[in-house]
Amino acid sequence: YIVGGVMMLDNIRWAANMEMIYSLPPDPMFTENWKEELLGRLSDLDPCVNKWLVHPLRDDYFKQGSVCEDFPRIKAATFLMAGMADSYSNNVMRTLNGLSCPKRAMIGPWVHLYPHLAVPGPRWDFCSEAIKWWDRWLKEKEPKQSEPEFLIYLQNRDPTYPRAEHVDGSWICDPITEPKIYYLKDGKLGNDKGNTKLAFRTKETAGFRSAGATWPTKLADLPEDQSADDMESCFFETEPFSEDTSFCGNPVVHVSIASDKTVASVFVRLCKVNKEGESLLLSYTAWNQTHDATHETFTPLIPGEFKEVDIKLDIISEKIGKGYRLRLCLATGMFPLFVPNPEPTTFTLDLDKCHLNMPQLHEITPYDKQPSEPLNPSPLPTTQLSDPYAKRKQVTDDPTGRVTSCFSFSTGQRRFEDHGLITEYKTETRDSILPDDPTSAQVHLTLQDNW
């Protein structure tokens, strides 16, 4: 997974996971020469991350798998669905806007799971929605009632509980927005333009609290309170909002920025801050300054030369309540979500040409139907033999200052009663870095698939 031309560390983890899976032996029940096939498979093993590392640009390798290269090729009725806590949420609006076939889209507050299984709630009855869609477009049954083309959950999250099981908010249809511009000046987001140049270099640890998974599947994967990372970043924030204000869409940061290195990426976070100073991550992204807007060409930077660029953040749908603030954070690193810059980097902003463009909701149309209770088809009968767990901690080594993020996860042992198979999936991850040395980054990953 590459964001803004910058590789995410979950590429390494995902590739390691896939290497474990596709190195498993064929099932002897269906393959007589399973041992020979396994040995051949192992001899040809090539971790997919190797291919990604030699394709840093958006070239034909990536284009062939991208629907946006030729939207008119899609003729079939298309139903798009994603969660805002998942990294694939941006694709939904982009694809919806590009399609000309019959289409519909839904974005909830969920992680990388089907809506009837996902967290945080409220869940949605995916099975009934899918059946209605197929009835209409496969069986050609006329729908009993029309549905909005785009349905999204307007969240009203509390920064005190970044991993809440249920998100307060409401479903809205086909939102209409208008741009709201905030200028960057003296650490503030407001109506006045800046008129100075501001240099910053942040610690490599300025993203540790954002270290949720790229594709979260559980509450423990979601990022925690951002306030410590915020204080290590170059940040700008609004005054407390005088009234409830809602935003829906992709925030865009326009910057005029210069680097002291020929290769460098800038990392951006947008947060919601409550009256107590607790900070909730709304959106984040990265931008490789050596790339053009299409990420198809590479041009080394000229140190000290300013470059203007629009940096689009991930989609948000959030109410900022009265008394709350928006905080925009920029950093020179965001480990362990992203691969660090190759060298310690200092950026300079020309604040006269910097602003944040927020998609403020202009018209809100509530969804007037009550969602059905989620239908979860009965899985195979199992017995849980040991408890699942998900544990995350951060430790600092006193002599060296190396900071390590540790995460351990297990599904627990489960026995399938129909045939007696016992399974367990376990991971151990340790990501570490020295605060002032991007080249010191280390990633350790252990995967166990026991059965």
Side-chain angles (χ1 to χ4, degrees):
Y1 199 81
I2 298 175
V3 173
V6 185
M7 179 174 283
M8 306 192 79
L9 279 181
D10 261 358
N11 280 279
I12 300 171
R13 302 183 185 100
W14 192 90
N17 197 6
M18 286 305 300
E19 187 176 1
M20 177 187 71
I21 292 171
Y22 57 60
S23 63
L24 292 172
D27 191 332
M29 183 179 294
F30 302 101
T31 308
E32 291 184 3
N33 60 336
W34 66 270
K35 186 174 182 179
E36 291 77 7
E37 284 201 20
L38 172 60
L39 293 175
R41 187 179 295 178
L42 294 176
S43 65
D44 294 335
L45 210 57
D46 182 21
C48 46
V49 72
N50 292 349
K51 293 186 176 67
W52 300 334
L53 288 171
V54 298
H55 291 277
L57 298 174
R58 184 179 174 82
D59 56 13
D60 290 341
Y61 176 81
F62 288 110
K63 287 182 179 181
Q64 59 83 28
S66 300
V67 296
C68 66
E69 293 298 316
D70 191 0
F71 280 125
R73 287 185 61 193
I74 300 176
K75 307 295 185 184
T78 303
F79 193 174
L80 304 157
M81 193 174 292
M84 272 172 291
D86 189 14
S87 290
Y88 290 123
S89 56
N90 288 321
N91 303 348
V92 172
M93 286 186 68
R94 190 162 57 233
T95 305
L96 183 71
N97 293 332
L99 292 175
S100 55
C101 60
K103 56 189 178 178
R104 189 183 174 210
M106 176 187 296
I107 301 179
W110 314 303
V111 296
H112 188 67
L113 289 173
Y114 282 103
H116 64 291
L117 300 172
V119 292
R123 294 176 173 176
W124 192 282
D125 187 7
F126 166 78
C127 297
S128 294
E129 291 293 340
I131 290 170
K132 285 192 295 184
W133 186 257
W134 291 325
D135 279 349
R136 172 67 181 91
W137 296 107
L138 291 180
K139 297 181 180 180
E140 297 184 341
K141 294 181 178 179
E142 288 299 320
K144 294 181 180 178
Q145 50 194 357
S146 62
E147 294 288 352
E149 183 175 89
F150 182 40
L151 188 62
I152 190 168
Y153 194 68
L154 180 58
Q155 303 177 114
N156 185 21
R157 290 179 290 172
D158 184 348
T160 305
Y161 306 103
R163 293 172 179 159
E165 293 185 0
H166 186 278
V167 173
D168 289 336
S170 59
W171 290 97
I172 61 174
C173 313
D174 302 322
I176 298 175
T177 63
E178 57 184 14
K180 170 64 176 176
I181 304 297
Y182 296 93
Y183 295 102
L184 283 59
K185 181 181 180 182
D186 299 332
K188 301 293 184 182
L189 291 173
N191 297 323
D192 298 328
K193 274 190 175 184
N195 54 9
T196 60
K197 291 183 173 62
L198 175 66
F200 67 93
R201 175 188 166 191
T202 60
K203 294 182 179 179
E204 301 301 325
T205 54
F208 261 79
R209 289 84 182 174
S210 312
T214 309
W215 303 284
T217 58
K218 49 194 174 294
L219 291 175
D221 288 336
L222 299 181
E224 55 185 300
D225 176 27
Q226 301 289 290
S227 54
D229 280 352
D230 296 352
M231 296 304 108
E232 290 187 356
S233 303
C234 172
F235 71 87
F236 305 83
E237 63 182 12
T238 64
E239 295 293 338
F241 278 56
S242 59
E243 60 182 5
D244 292 352
T245 307
S246 297
F247 302 94
C248 185
N250 293 96
V252 178
V253 184
H254 181 86
V255 293
S256 176
I257 189 168
S259 167
D260 66 339
K261 299 296 188 296
T262 58
V263 176
S265 301
V266 64
F267 303 86
V268 185
R269 291 179 299 114
L270 182 66
C271 300
K272 174 183 180 179
V273 183
N274 64 13
K275 300 172 185 177
E276 291 72 35
E278 295 163 313
S279 179
L280 175 75
L281 184 64
L282 296 181
S283 184
Y284 68 86
T285 196
W287 190 268
N288 188 331
Q289 298 292 308
T290 66
H291 288 197
D292 67 352
T294 67
H295 299 291
E296 294 182 23
T297 61
F298 167 86
T299 305
L301 300 173
I302 300 174
E305 184 175 287
F306 283 87
K307 180 179 181 179
E308 290 194 47
V309 63
D310 286 325
I311 304 175
K312 181 184 287 188
L313 281 78
D314 290 344
I315 184 175
I316 67 170
S317 180
E318 190 81 32
K319 177 187 289 186
I320 309 299
K322 180 179 179 180
Y324 285 62
R325 288 167 284 157
L326 280 176
R327 180 180 290 163
L328 177 68
C329 303
L330 296 92
T332 55
M334 197 174 173
F335 184 84
L337 271 177
F338 291 95
V339 173
N341 279 317
E343 298 179 88
T345 304
T346 297
F347 286 115
T348 302
L349 297 173
D350 183 354
L351 295 181
D352 181 56
K353 300 176 182 177
C354 296
H355 64 263
L356 170 65
N357 187 336
M358 291 292 294
Q360 185 169 326
L361 273 170
H362 177 61
E363 292 184 24
I364 298 178
T365 304
Y367 185 65
D368 58 3
K369 301 169 188 174
Q370 188 67 27
S372 305
E373 285 297 314
L375 171 66
N376 186 10
S378 299
L380 293 173
T382 61
T383 299
Q384 194 76 35
L385 302 179
S386 63
D387 293 335
Y389 59 80
K391 304 173 184 177
R392 190 182 298 276
K393 65 178 180 179
Q394 181 177 314
V395 295
T396 301
D397 181 66
D398 287 335
T400 66
R402 178 174 287 274
V403 183
T404 304
S405 174
C406 308
F407 182 65
S408 56
F409 168 76
S410 171
T411 59
Q413 287 191 342
R414 289 185 299 168
R415 181 175 64 236
F416 289 82
E417 299 301 339
D418 283 7
H419 43 68
L421 181 68
I422 297 176
T423 66
E424 182 183 21
Y425 178 70
K426 298 173 66 175
T427 65
E428 299 281 344
T429 303
R430 288 187 295 114
D431 304 317
S432 70
I433 199 167
L434 293 170
D436 297 315
D437 183 4
T439 65
S440 67
Q442 296 180 359
V443 179
H444 298 267
L445 175 66
T446 303
L447 298 165
Q448 288 181 264
D449 205 351
N450 305 320
W451 46 277

